[in-house]
Amino acid sequence: HVLNAKNKNLVHTPNDESLLPAHWTAKHGKLTSLKYLNIINKDLIRETSYRTDSTCLHLAVQAQQHETALWLLEVYASAKHA
């Protein structure tokens, strides 16, 4: 994996759209990758993008990535009850 101990800061590096990897995966419905990022760092999916101030959930909904948005809702809800 690209995201190994040597490159663990990549998850906090925005792309040209000012999106972190978690935001990009949510926007594009890459649910498997988003789940992997969530395993690496549970806070990533709650961070807001630098430019748009959007969370992963906002971006998934805006991009009509329904399966991703539903998964994010489940994760957010389970975190509230943990």
Side-chain angles (χ1 to χ4, degrees):
H1 285 108
V2 173
L3 298 174
N4 58 29
K6 200 177 195 182
N7 298 317
K8 62 184 173 184
N9 288 330
L10 286 176
V11 298
H12 298 288
T13 304
N15 67 5
D16 294 343
E17 296 177 75
S18 300
L19 298 176
L20 297 174
H23 296 117
W24 188 91
T25 59
K27 180 179 177 180
H28 295 280
K30 305 297 184 187
L31 189 51
T32 302
S33 297
L34 188 58
K35 287 179 179 181
Y36 179 74
L37 290 169
N38 190 53
I39 291 169
I40 292 173
N41 184 334
K42 301 267 185 231
D43 294 326
L44 291 175
I45 63 170
R46 288 173 183 76
E47 292 181 16
T48 57
S49 75
Y50 301 112
R51 189 181 63 175
T52 65
D53 203 33
S54 298
T55 64
C56 288
L57 180 58
H58 293 129
L59 294 165
V61 169
Q62 289 170 352
Q64 298 181 3
Q65 299 295 341
H66 302 116
E67 184 180 0
T68 301
L70 288 172
W71 179 80
L72 287 164
L73 284 172
E74 289 174 17
V75 171
Y76 292 161
S78 66
K80 278 188 158 182
H81 299 292

